[in-house]
Amino acid sequence: MTSYSTAIIDAESIAGSGTPIRVVDPSTEEVIAEVPEAEDALVDRAVTSARAAFDRGEWRSMSVEQRQGVLRACADAIDAAADRIADVECANTGIPYAQVRQGQVVRAAGNFRFFADYIGQMTAELYEQDPNYLTFVRREPVGVAALISPWNSPLALGSMKVASAIAFGNSCVLKPAEQDPLGLTMLVETIQGAGLPPGVVNLVNGFGASVGDRLVRHPGIDCVSFTGGTRTGRIIMSAAGANLKPSVMELGGKSANIIFDDADFETALDGALIGIFTNNGQQCLAGSRVLVQRGIYKRFVEAFVERANKVRVGNPRDAATEIGPLATRQHYDHVMSFVPSAADQGARILAGGDRAEGFERGFYFQPTIAEVDSNDHRLCQEEIFGPFATLMPFDTDEDAYRIANESRFGLVGYAWSRDIGRIMAAQERVSAGTIWCNTPMFRDLRAPFGGYRESGVGAEGGRAAEAFYTRQKAVSIPRRPLNLRKMGA
């Protein structure tokens, strides 16, 4: 069993003295590490470090070119440690190694490179409506950001928060999810030697209800970014709002995947499988409600079930594995609780619905498909967050849009059709922050990523991050000497 840092403060790894957090390998259920929770004094120290780094101004006052160089050096450092980081992340999360190494680690390095490029293309506003004045708008860093990352995709999403926060000159304190802190802790250790001044990127480990809460409420924190569940998001946003701290929340989803009868059948089938079973099904942007037009419904269901039954569940280190174990015992029980009983007249299991065969240990859950009679069923309204799809037919395009929008969530939506008119209607009519048309999940980091309704507030991405992590300052300067009236003369 390996010991990991409780915190990284001023570029130094620190072993705290708080309650040990047992980190479990979900493929074996063995404890692979213990991470002491950061005690209150250590959280305070991390925030103080970030504040001191910001106030010194060494990072925020760097030229854009210098900051770009450091961000790119961070990306290079991640690349150099990629195999080691992926190995730890695979053991901690149960996500197949190939998906971690070729997806999340590559994305983590790419996040730093993207924001290095982005800050080199920023522009300022200039107003000249009054001929006697020039008014321009400065963008200045907010200060110290509290960054709270999720357990389902720690490297990709945690690194996105760090890269976007510091690119604009801020300092930050990152808190990984307590379930899988190892990969992000290693990543933050890795980038400390890339030229970041001490205190710009700090990390504290611990539970959300204690360490996370103290971090959000700390008077030294200026803004909060959180990705995770909607219930927790409400608590964090309320705590931040009580102290007038701006926050961005990327929360849950229950996204509709609409497959029209004129879709490219095989491509839509492939996309639907990717949309629900990637990342062990644990993704807020999953296309978990698969809505299929009635004319092709029977054919699609048969093909979808046949393919799902062939999806390879296995050890995440096996190159052939497509789905590994769920992240924790608690989450395994949560997903299992959605399997409808024989007495449930509104839903029928078509595939899976039980522990994956051949595994005595580990949180392995079969790829599961349920057919439902109504979008009102809990399988369609509650976020399962696992490899668990629901299927439902629809008749008209209007039916599809109505069903898609009958949800308290609104993170993403999918639409499949060969008819450009239908696609244009779908992207307009589906109420969600991102619509993917004739494609599974795709992310252009320049575009905003955020949700409607209970899927979140605010967005991440290039311009969205610039708006969140900077403040606007308007500066007005007269073009020529002024002839002012002389009061009291």
Side-chain angles (χ1 to χ4, degrees):
M1 186 170 62
T2 306
S3 296
Y4 279 78
S5 303
T6 294
I8 300 170
I9 301 173
D10 283 332
E12 295 183 2
S13 297
I14 298 170
S17 58
T19 304
I21 300 171
R22 299 167 77 241
V23 181
V24 174
D25 181 336
S27 68
T28 64
E29 302 185 44
E30 295 178 358
V31 177
I32 57 173
E34 283 192 348
V35 180
E37 181 174 35
E39 57 270 32
D40 289 351
L42 209 51
V43 177
D44 294 344
R45 184 176 161 189
V47 176
T48 299
S49 168
R51 173 57 58 192
F54 183 77
D55 290 344
R56 285 196 307 270
E58 181 183 359
W59 177 247
R60 63 185 168 91
S61 299
M62 273 189 188
S63 69
V64 170
E65 185 177 12
Q66 288 175 311
R67 235 181 301 141
Q68 286 178 304
V70 175
L71 291 169
R72 290 176 179 134
C74 288
D76 292 343
I78 294 169
D79 285 342
D83 291 343
R84 190 163 53 94
I85 293 172
D87 184 68
V88 167
E89 186 77 342
C90 177
N92 195 170
T93 65
I95 300 169
Y97 180 85
Q99 294 180 32
V100 175
R101 179 62 183 84
Q102 303 304 323
Q104 293 203 26
V105 179
V106 171
R107 164 73 187 278
N111 287 334
F112 284 90
R113 291 193 176 98
F114 169 79
F115 279 101
D117 292 342
Y118 183 89
I119 60 175
Q121 302 300 317
M122 290 172 62
T123 58
E125 302 168 46
L126 177 67
Y127 300 98
E128 302 181 80
Q129 185 169 358
D130 189 315
N132 296 312
Y133 285 87
L134 293 176
T135 295
F136 62 90
V137 180
R138 291 176 53 88
R139 285 278 184 180
E140 298 182 341
V142 171
V144 178
L147 311 175
I148 304 177
S149 64
W151 56 260
N152 64 307
S153 188
L155 288 175
L157 301 182
S159 63
M160 179 71 173
K161 293 182 185 298
V162 173
S164 58
I166 69 173
F168 301 102
N170 299 287
S171 300
C172 68
V173 181
L174 171 68
K175 192 201 87 65
E178 60 268 21
Q179 295 91 338
D180 46 21
L182 305 187
L184 265 183
T185 299
M186 184 176 289
L187 183 144
V188 171
E189 289 174 340
T190 298
I191 65 174
Q192 295 298 328
L196 288 168
V200 172
V201 178
N202 304 277
L203 175 145
V204 288
N205 279 306
F207 293 100
S210 50
V211 173
D213 185 70
R214 188 173 184 85
L215 187 60
V216 169
R217 297 179 188 275
H218 199 287
I221 293 295
D222 297 301
C223 63
V224 178
S225 174
F226 170 75
T227 299
T230 298
R231 184 183 64 83
T232 304
R234 291 183 190 276
I235 296 170
I236 291 174
M237 193 169 185
S238 176
N243 293 291
L244 299 179
K245 298 176 184 179
S247 58
V248 60
M249 301 281 126
E250 198 266 277
L251 308 176
K254 193 68 184 177
S255 302
N257 190 353
I258 303 172
I259 301 171
F260 293 103
D261 55 10
D262 63 347
D264 181 315
F265 187 90
E266 292 300 325
T267 303
L269 176 63
D270 291 339
L273 289 158
I274 292 170
I276 187 59
F277 295 135
T278 299
N279 207 61
N280 298 348
Q282 299 166 144
Q283 45 194 355
C284 54
L285 43 70
S288 52
R289 289 185 295 150
V290 184
L291 312 180
V292 185
Q293 199 148 26
R294 198 173 299 276
I296 62 169
Y297 182 73
K298 184 175 184 296
R299 178 189 172 200
F300 188 90
V301 169
E302 290 174 352
F304 194 53
V305 169
E306 180 183 3
R307 290 278 296 278
N309 284 330
K310 295 178 180 177
V311 170
R312 294 180 290 277
V313 180
N315 188 306
R317 296 189 181 281
D318 186 336
T321 293
E322 295 175 298
I323 292 182
L326 298 178
T328 65
R329 165 64 66 183
Q330 181 182 15
H331 189 58
Y332 175 88
D333 292 341
H334 167 80
V335 175
M336 187 68 78
S337 73
F338 281 89
V339 177
S341 67
D344 188 339
Q345 298 299 309
R348 296 159 295 282
I349 289 292
L350 304 182
D354 207 340
R355 182 177 184 82
E357 296 179 1
F359 297 95
E360 294 183 2
R361 296 182 63 80
F363 311 128
Y364 292 96
F365 186 81
Q366 294 175 326
T368 297
I369 301 170
E371 183 181 50
V372 296
D373 295 332
S374 170
N375 190 56
D376 294 333
H377 197 283
R378 69 184 293 247
L379 294 180
C380 296
Q381 293 300 315
E382 298 179 34
E383 187 174 34
I384 303 173
F385 214 67
F388 199 136
T390 60
L391 279 167
M392 184 178 173
F394 69 89
D395 292 303
T396 68
D397 294 16
E398 290 296 322
D399 290 336
Y401 306 143
R402 173 183 54 78
I403 295 168
N405 294 333
E406 287 177 346
S407 172
R408 69 180 190 273
F409 298 108
L411 189 58
V412 307
Y414 302 75
W416 302 83
S417 171
R418 287 189 175 97
D419 184 341
I420 187 62
R422 246 179 175 173
I423 288 296
M424 293 306 293
Q427 61 83 25
E428 181 177 343
R429 297 290 301 281
V430 175
S431 179
T434 296
I435 307 296
W436 284 310
C437 303
N438 291 328
T439 182
M441 298 157 287
F442 167 77
R443 183 79 188 275
D444 186 325
L445 296 184
R446 292 168 294 183
F449 185 82
Y452 292 4
R453 301 184 295 281
E454 292 190 20
S455 285
V457 176
E460 293 184 330
R463 189 176 298 176
E466 178 185 347
F468 181 69
Y469 288 113
T470 63
R471 291 190 176 105
Q472 298 180 90
K473 177 185 285 185
V475 180
S476 295
I477 302 175
R479 290 174 179 265
R480 55 191 63 85
L482 300 177
N483 183 19
L484 299 177
R485 61 191 178 94
K486 302 187 181 302
M487 294 181 67

